Amino acid sequence: MRIMLLGAPGAGKGTQAQFIMEKYGIPQISTGDMLRAAVKAGTPLGLEAKKVMDAGQLVSDDLIIGLVKERVAQDDCDKGFLLDGFPRTIPQADAMAESGIALDHVIEIDVPDEDIVARMGGRRVHPGSGRVYHVVFNPSKVEGQDDVTGEALAIRPDDEETTVRKRLAIYHEQTKPLVEYYTQVAANSHVTYDKFDGSQSVAQVSEQIVTALS
Ligand code: AP5
Ligand code: ZN
């Protein structure tokens, strides 16, 4: 099962990815998590990516495409994968298709911009795993601590409101055209395209995604 999650920053891709990967036993490939791991490790890629990410802009297509190709070639992707945050430009989608990386399902999660801005202030993440929480809508069992490791949760540097608004503008300009792109792909192939109202509760969205995938 090869799935792609498409949606604005804060739409709930990472939240639903956690659930889908556990349910279907496929690895989550989050380009955002991969970049944040590189930033934390201080690799040359991380140093290059940090400034761009903190400013809410997109890292170069070439760099991202290289990362994903390498990741998809690993053994744990034999039975499928869940793409979270990639592709997010038309050139990335084209490069993916040209590299023979195929999809079975595209899942769009749609949330109005103003709901997203309100949500992002309450997001907390576990830097080690990428697990995502929200102080009100999806709280951890113990405040400020990851449910699995007990380690401290953090606020992402790009969740400041002006940066969130910038990321939303870039989403509308560079990523939203993928809605039309994959609607066309679905009309001409076995790929399915389903759109979900991501302003419902986390559980309602998960339930509807499972129904669509089964
Ligand atoms: P990335 O990490 O991919 O960020 P993003 O796409 O901006 O998305 P987010 O992770 O912010 O949101 P999400 O949809 O995962 O929402 P979440 O589940 O956390 O990318 C970061 C940066 O890396 C980019 O800006 C760019 O610089 C770079 N990058 C990454 N990929 C790239 C690429 N392919 N090309 C170029 N550059 C790239 O949920 C958000 C909050 O809402 C959480 O607190 C959550 O608990 C809560 N929540 C979730 N669902 C619900 C719900 N239904 N109701 C209420 N609250 C909810
Ligand atoms: Zn995410």
Side-chain angles (χ1 to χ4, degrees):
M1 195 181 263
R2 296 161 298 189
I3 306 172
M4 170 197 168
L5 292 175
L6 178 59
K13 302 183 296 296
T15 301
Q16 296 301 331
Q18 271 165 232
F19 171 79
I20 296 168
M21 67 186 279
E22 277 162 30
K23 172 138 184 101
Y24 296 101
I26 51 174
Q28 172 193 9
I29 301 180
S30 159
T31 42
D33 284 352
M34 288 160 86
L35 291 169
R36 279 183 289 277
V39 169
K40 202 169 166 215
T43 63
L45 161 69
L47 294 175
E48 194 184 327
K50 184 172 177 11
K51 264 192 253 152
V52 179
M53 292 172 76
D54 286 355
Q57 285 165 342
L58 295 185
V59 172
S60 82
D61 286 337
D62 286 349
L63 199 155
I64 288 287
I65 290 157
L67 262 187
V68 173
K69 272 200 211 166
E70 215 173 88
R71 179 66 189 86
V72 167
Q74 290 173 11
D75 291 348
D76 64 335
C77 292
D78 283 355
K79 289 197 186 120
F81 47 77
L82 174 63
L83 296 176
D84 165 7
F86 175 90
R88 69 168 88 195
T89 63
I90 300 271
Q92 290 181 17
D94 284 340
M96 184 171 108
E98 281 158 20
S99 309
I101 304 171
L103 290 170
D104 302 308
H105 306 286
V106 177
I107 292 174
E108 182 192 347
I109 306 177
D110 184 42
V111 179
D113 284 7
E114 286 312 313
D115 291 13
I116 286 176
V117 173
R119 253 185 209 183
M120 294 301 235
R123 172 159 62 181
R124 300 292 180 270
V125 293
H126 175 237
S129 66
R131 271 184 291 279
V132 193
Y133 303 90
H134 189 282
V135 289
V136 177
F137 304 125
N138 192 17
S140 54
K141 289 182 188 128
V142 178
E143 196 185 324
Q145 288 182 17
D146 176 47
D147 287 352
V148 178
T149 62
E151 289 168 353
L153 299 179
I155 295 177
R156 265 174 50 177
D158 55 350
D159 276 353
E160 200 251 319
E161 185 174 334
T162 42
T163 313
V164 169
R165 291 196 184 274
K166 181 137 196 216
R167 288 161 61 203
L168 284 168
I170 290 177
Y171 171 77
H172 288 292
E173 188 187 300
Q174 299 202 39
T175 309
K176 200 75 200 275
L178 291 176
V179 167
E180 178 57 28
Y181 181 103
Y182 282 110
T183 302
Q184 287 302 320
V185 168
N188 296 299
S189 70
H190 77 286
V191 176
T192 66
Y193 189 102
D194 290 287
K195 177 174 173 173
F196 300 91
D197 173 6
S199 55
Q200 305 171 96
S201 72
V202 172
Q204 281 172 316
V205 180
S206 303
E207 228 170 80
Q208 291 167 14
I209 290 176
V210 170
T211 307
L213 290 176
S214 57

